[in-house]
Amino acid sequence: MMLYKEPAPIKDRENPFESMMSRFNIAAEVLGLDEETYNVLKSPARQVIVNVPVTMDDGKVRVFEGYRVVHSTILGPSKGGIRYAPDVFLDEVKALAAWMTWKCAVVDIPYGGAKGGIICDPYSMSAGEIERLTRAYTQSLVDIFGPDRDIPAPDMGTGPREMAWLMDEYSKTKGSTEHAVVTGKPLVLGGSLGRVEATGRGVMVSAMAAMDKLGMDPAKSTAAVQGFGNVGSWAAKLMAERGVKILGVSDVSGAYWNDNGIDIEEAIEYKNNNNGRLEGYKGAEQMDPDDLLTSKVDVLVPAAVEDVITIHNVEKIQARLIVEGANGPTSYKADKIINEKGIMVVPDILANSGGVTVSYFEWVQNRMGFKWTLDRVNERAERIMNESFERVYAASQKYNVPMRIAAYIVAIDKVAMTYKYRGGF
Ligand code: NAD
């Protein structure tokens, strides 16, 4: 009997929930948050663990463990993606759910935060197996999800295809078509124009805003991007269009470097024709992936996984600016050294919030029964990203704190104020 592979052990990684809480604690102290509100905001409102049986292609039934954590519904229905990965674990989902709360608050959209995950390896499963798993997970959470309650979206390992299955399964159970129960859907099913590239576009917009503050000319700047999936490849492409020379990129297959700048359009085309991977890409030299983050570039965009900038490599980082496309790429312990080195960080909850912003637009369009043009989506998203950047920058000046703590301050302040108006029991 073939047993399912156990998740990889977490070696040397910070617990992401504790990492999130350490930043939360600093921001709460700067804000002078009262004890009652602190206790409300630190605790996830609801955590659900499900075990879903799924018939595999060989006829055997395998039971998959899945999670849905609703961190907060103070600002509105909770919002957050679903991650399919072999090593996803509850504290990671809890951290990601809390980050969604702060992210929605930073960009001032009326959502709370949630996140879901299933322990599985989608890359070793057939489409049929993934469909059955997605439908089973949806069934088990049908009382949690809802256009006015909790609205999932894609995250690592999921995309428009899974969102279509989720929407269909939920709609069948309810007996009516419920487009707005999920975002990141295919266009024909009520997806929004501009959603696919929204996160990468937001990363680019915040990179440009930060470069402006630092007096950096994009046309004279260089960058390295870790992760060449949805976020990384779009961020690289759009930054390159603004003149930034992308010297290095990486994905799970390795890291690639070209002193003259990588032709990002070409690399994306190569990846699209190569099962989503850069493996074998000839437009650049291969380099040690560990060296990418410490390479000589002006801007670093981690856009893959958590906990990659840590006490083990932070001293060697040469970039002046880090724009966090991924969620939680910098460990809490690395923050201090980054600040001492004077590196500006556009933190995840600000830099990658373009995705949830356009997800919100998708939800609004679904509820209006009306489609916006791509220009309208991009123009509104860009405005929100720039306004949010300015809000966070102003807080960093006012409280004399780094951008990350400033983003938490802006977010916590907004959620705390809303909580005060709504009241508790
Ligand atoms: P994706 O699955 O499309 O791409 C992930 C990329 O990272 C792939 O290229 C993969 O090969 C690469 N990768 C994985 N492990 C790596 C490693 N150790 N080193 C280098 N590369 C590695 O996922 P995505 O949607 O682009 O998400 C990336 C990050 O951005 C995640 O942290 C996710 O939570 C965050 N994020 C995504 C969105 C979104 O809208 N997609 C929104 C906000 C935040």
Side-chain angles (χ1 to χ4, degrees), residues 106-159:
V106 162
V107 286
D108 201 13
I109 57 179
Y111 283 148
K115 204 80 180 191
I118 304 180
I119 302 175
C120 66
D121 180 3
Y123 299 101
S124 70
M125 293 166 71
S126 71
E129 289 170 341
I130 298 174
E131 175 173 358
R132 293 191 289 282
L133 174 62
T134 305
R135 289 185 185 276
Y137 176 77
T138 306
Q139 275 299 338
S140 67
L141 291 168
V142 86
D143 293 329
I144 305 274
F145 296 152
D148 290 307
R149 289 198 304 267
D150 179 34
I151 309 142
D155 190 69
M156 275 165 64
T158 59

Side-chain angles (χ1 to χ4, degrees), residues 137-185:
Y137 176 77
T138 306
Q139 275 299 338
S140 67
L141 291 168
V142 86
D143 293 329
I144 305 274
F145 296 152
D148 290 307
R149 289 198 304 267
D150 179 34
I151 309 142
D155 190 69
M156 275 165 64
T158 59
R161 182 181 71 164
E162 287 73 19
M163 299 307 111
W165 289 327
L166 196 156
M167 178 246 154
D168 181 68
E169 193 61 30
Y170 181 86
S171 297
K172 278 181 181 145
T173 306
K174 294 290 166 187
S176 54
T177 298
E178 301 281 354
H179 290 115
V181 69
V182 63
T183 61
K185 299 178 291 291

Side-chain angles (χ1 to χ4, degrees), residues 83 155-156 195 199 227-231 251-252 303-304 325-327 352:
R83 179 171 290 192
D155 190 69
M156 275 165 64
R195 174 62 187 91
T199 309
F228 208 63
N230 174 289
V231 180
D251 71 1
V252 276
N327 285 309
N352 70 34

Side-chain angles (χ1 to χ4, degrees), residues 116-331:
I118 304 180
I119 302 175
C120 66
D121 180 3
Y123 299 101
S124 70
M125 293 166 71
S126 71
E129 289 170 341
I130 298 174
E131 175 173 358
R132 293 191 289 282
L133 174 62
T134 305
R135 289 185 185 276
Y137 176 77
T138 306
Q139 275 299 338
S140 67
L141 291 168
V142 86
D143 293 329
I144 305 274
F145 296 152
D148 290 307
R149 289 198 304 267
D150 179 34
I151 309 142
D155 190 69
M156 275 165 64
T158 59
R161 182 181 71 164
E162 287 73 19
M163 299 307 111
W165 289 327
L166 196 156
M167 178 246 154
D168 181 68
E169 193 61 30
Y170 181 86
S171 297
K172 278 181 181 145
T173 306
K174 294 290 166 187
S176 54
T177 298
E178 301 281 354
H179 290 115
V181 69
V182 63
T183 61
K185 299 178 291 291
L187 276 180
V188 287
L189 264 188
S192 177
L193 290 166
R195 174 62 187 91
V196 172
E197 64 270 37
T199 309
R201 180 174 289 280
V203 169
M204 177 276 289
V205 172
S206 26
M208 292 302 127
M211 289 170 91
D212 188 51
K213 296 286 182 213
L214 294 171
M216 293 164 72
D217 177 356
K220 291 189 183 128
S221 301
T222 58
V225 180
Q226 183 193 49
F228 208 63
N230 174 289
V231 180
S233 65
W234 276 103
K237 176 178 150 69
L238 295 168
M239 282 169 68
E241 279 175 13
R242 302 290 180 295
V244 179
K245 203 184 269 186
I246 313 290
L247 299 181
V249 296
S250 71
D251 71 1
V252 276
S253 74
Y256 306 83
W257 184 270
N258 185 334
D259 280 330
N260 299 317
I262 292 173
D263 181 339
I264 298 296
E265 297 265 10
E266 183 195 79
I268 291 176
E269 200 183 322
Y270 180 87
K271 173 195 92 154
N272 290 343
N273 295 324
N274 192 41
N275 208 15
R277 289 160 81 108
L278 283 167
E279 198 161 10
Y281 177 59
K282 295 280 179 283
E285 302 281 321
Q286 258 202 285
M287 73 187 290
D288 184 338
D290 288 343
D291 293 340
L292 185 83
L293 295 174
T294 55
S295 58
K296 182 143 186 54
V297 286
D298 302 307
V299 186
L300 201 55
V301 181
V305 289
E306 285 123 68
D307 227 7
V308 292
I309 299 175
T310 67
I311 43 166
H312 302 297
N313 59 7
V314 64
E315 290 284 6
K316 289 189 277 175
I317 287 182
Q318 302 188 63
R320 289 178 66 192
L321 171 64
I322 299 174
V323 187
E324 295 183 336
N327 285 309
T330 308
S331 78

